[in-house]
Amino acid sequence: MSRHVDPQATLSGSLRVPGDKSASHRALMLSALAAGESTIVGLSRGHDVASTSQIMVQLGARRHDEAGHAVVEGPSDGLRASDEPLQCANSGTTIRLVSGIVSGLEGRHLLEGDASLSRRPMDRIATPLGLMGSKVRGRGPRVTPPLEIIGSSGLHGIDYEVPTPSAQVKSSILLAGLFARGDTVVSEAVRTRTSTEDMLRQAGVDVSSEDRGPGRRVTLRPSRPRPQAWRVPADPSQAAFFCVLGVIHPDAQIELLDVEDAPERVGFVHVLRRMGADLTQAPGASGATLTARSSLLSSTEVHAREIPSVDEVPVLTVAAAAASGVSAFRDMVELRLKESDRFEGSLRLAEGLGCRVWSDGDDFFIEGLGSSRRFQTFSFDAGLDHRFVMSSAVAGVAGQGCDIEGADTVASSYPNFFDDLASLA
Ligand code: S3P
């Protein structure tokens, strides 16, 4: 589906973006793993999270919705293999975390994805899960989906250093560790988001974390999670689109409510402030309130370790395009392995806006135009990548409008994005 976005003269308002996608996946999984009923308030309504929900039901959990929140009941005798393929659609978090869970369930599991997911490497989970005693097979040396997993009731814990820091890989191993004999230890050289450790701990599982320089070591002693009343805060990675929109737009004030403010998630706030953004953060009832106001931005240097998982880089390239001077994005190799090649896409987007762009190995550079009002009208094919739909829309609204090909893919994380955007005009 193609969608036209018009520029807007003034933007103002207050939003609560959807529930954090990472916490939503995990709330569903931990509830399904527990014996009895859990409730989830603020669950993301995106298609990625719906895939996880559907898979938990296939594996034996029950789910219904009550007064706007989800109720999930895990079977007392535990989850079990499904005869049908587990459909992960566009969601990397679903396939990697579910792989960890089904590794501990006896039987053969088939995990499928859409064209985007079918290009993403699963060797990074196949190796550690294999060391724990399950078998994960996919296509080619990078083990791309569809995956066939032979789960085992005889998994054993491992002590594993994740070669490329990844919250999904860490989480996949920890979830498999719930079923293993002995402790599971996962080390990461850079601290990635802690949703899995934090939520396992909340559900009564013995998990300890120890900082080691810029990294961390997490130890899990296996036990069954207990049912919980989960509250999911607003997703900082979704708030990031509106923060960038507020600061690059010449006449805007946008307030984002209840945003999760874990240090691994708000690196983009520090980057934008360094660029001169008027972006304030105040404690709110259940998370932070972020307020973004029109600002004159100047260039900066962004390193991947500041934004673990690099989810906010596409929209930060739009901020760089509006800034004066040349911004450098360093060590961005992981961008190539997301829902699309976001390294190439970020350059293509900034170029479409009229910027001079170039790359050197894993680094890329954007020469900003000094104001979003200098952006050109542009067309962008978002492929199957929700974050490029939203990044393009931000640039179109603040600049001179745009056409977005593949705009419906926004529903994988934020089905009401265009309504929320319109509410600010
Ligand atoms: C996620 C981890 C991330 C991120 C994704 C969500 C998660 O990837 O890109 O949007 O919920 O664990 P990494 O595994 O690269 O950290």
Side-chain angles (χ1 to χ4, degrees):
M1 186 190 95
S2 169
R3 183 168 191 130
H4 179 74
V5 173
D6 284 317
Q8 297 296 337
T10 305
L11 297 172
S12 72
S14 187
L15 287 177
R16 190 190 194 276
V17 298
D20 181 37
K21 192 153 73 72
S22 295
S24 296
H25 285 292
R26 285 143 173 101
L28 286 165
M29 291 177 192
L30 298 191
S31 301
L33 285 164
E37 205 172 88
S38 295
T39 52
I40 311 173
V41 174
L43 190 72
S44 158
R45 303 283 157 190
H47 292 182
D48 282 7
V49 169
S51 298
T52 290
S53 176
Q54 169 59 28
I55 290 172
M56 292 305 113
V57 170
Q58 265 179 271
L59 297 176
R62 289 177 202 241
R63 152 138 191 221
H64 69 274
D65 285 13
E66 228 173 70
H69 63 266
V71 180
V72 179
E73 192 183 335
S76 54
D77 52 351
L79 300 177
R80 52 178 157 63
S82 164
D83 296 334
E84 298 299 316
L86 307 174
Q87 196 45 255
C88 305
N90 192 244
S91 176
T93 307
T94 304
I95 200 166
R96 292 195 174 120
L97 273 58
V98 167
S99 294
I101 293 174
V102 299
S103 283
L105 305 180
E106 276 296 327
R108 175 176 175 271
H109 315 273
L110 201 62
L111 286 79
E112 298 176 345
D114 68 5
S116 153
L117 192 62
S118 300
R119 285 192 295 268
R120 298 180 66 185
M122 298 299 147
D123 51 344
R124 45 184 64 191
I125 52 162
T127 302
L129 295 176
L131 291 170
M132 296 177 85
S134 101
K135 288 194 183 68
V136 181
R137 296 196 197 99
R139 287 178 300 132
R142 303 250 30 206
V143 193
T144 53
L147 298 182
E148 182 194 48
I149 300 185
I150 310 296
S152 160
S153 54
L155 295 189
H156 46 86
I158 51 171
D159 186 338
Y160 191 74
E161 171 98 36
V162 180
T164 303
S166 154
Q168 291 174 351
V169 174
K170 170 177 66 177
S171 304
S172 182
I173 300 168
L174 291 173
L175 290 170
L178 291 174
F179 298 89
R181 251 180 302 112
D183 293 358
T184 293
V185 182
V186 189
S187 307
E188 51 189 10
V190 171
R191 290 176 213 157
T192 63
R193 68 191 67 188
T194 56
S195 339
T196 301
E197 302 94 289
D198 296 345
M199 293 174 74
L200 279 168
R201 212 173 284 127
Q202 184 182 335
V205 178
D206 185 353
V207 185
S208 55
S209 302
E210 199 191 315
D211 286 344
R212 288 200 318 183
R216 190 184 276 128
R217 180 178 163 88
V218 183
T219 304
L220 173 140
R221 283 161 211 93
S223 70
R224 192 165 184 189
R226 290 199 293 263
Q228 292 302 304
W230 301 107
R231 290 194 77 84
V232 179
D235 193 326
S237 304
Q238 309 290 24
F241 295 103
F242 293 103
C243 290
V244 170
L245 177 60
V247 301
I248 67 170
H249 190 283
D251 183 13
Q253 172 159 334
I254 305 175
E255 194 180 62
L256 288 319
L257 306 173
D258 293 342
V259 181
E260 188 196 330
D261 57 357
E264 297 82 6
R265 303 297 302 277
V266 293
F268 73 89
V269 171
H270 304 296
V271 171
L272 288 172
R273 286 206 189 122
R274 205 160 68 219
M275 296 175 82
D278 182 352
L279 179 57
T280 55
Q281 191 171 355
S286 47
T289 299
L290 295 174
T291 306
R293 297 181 189 84
S294 308
S295 313
L296 281 179
L297 300 185
S298 47
S299 59
T300 191
E301 181 162 325
V302 184
H303 195 279
R305 66 177 167 264
E306 286 185 90
I307 322 262
S309 303
V310 293
D311 287 343
E312 297 79 25
V313 170
V315 78
L316 286 176
T317 63
V318 176
S324 55
V326 175
S327 290
F329 291 80
R330 304 267 183 208
D331 199 20
M332 293 289 161
V333 63
E334 277 294 300
L335 274 184
R336 297 196 184 276
L337 302 173
K338 298 288 180 177
E339 285 84 330
S340 68
D341 179 346
R342 290 184 179 159
F343 190 105
E344 176 275 330
S346 296
L347 290 175
R348 186 159 50 87
L349 177 55
E351 203 166 28
L353 293 172
C355 299
R356 202 164 70 83
V357 304
W358 63 100
S359 63
D360 178 12
D362 295 335
D363 301 341
F364 69 85
F365 304 86
I366 293 174
E367 185 171 348
L369 300 172
S371 160
S372 64
R373 282 307 189 218
R374 301 202 183 108
F375 289 175
Q376 299 170 5
T377 305
F378 68 101
S379 302
F380 193 82
D381 185 349
L384 287 170
D385 195 333
H386 55 129
R387 296 203 199 277
F388 276 121
V389 178
M390 294 184 272
S391 300
S392 312
V394 164
V397 167
Q400 307 298 334
C402 64
D403 287 296
I404 308 170
E405 204 54 58
D408 46 334
T409 213
V410 76
S412 63
S413 69
Y414 198 161
N416 293 331
F417 173 76
F418 285 102
D419 298 331
D420 283 354
L421 188 60
S423 77
L424 300 171

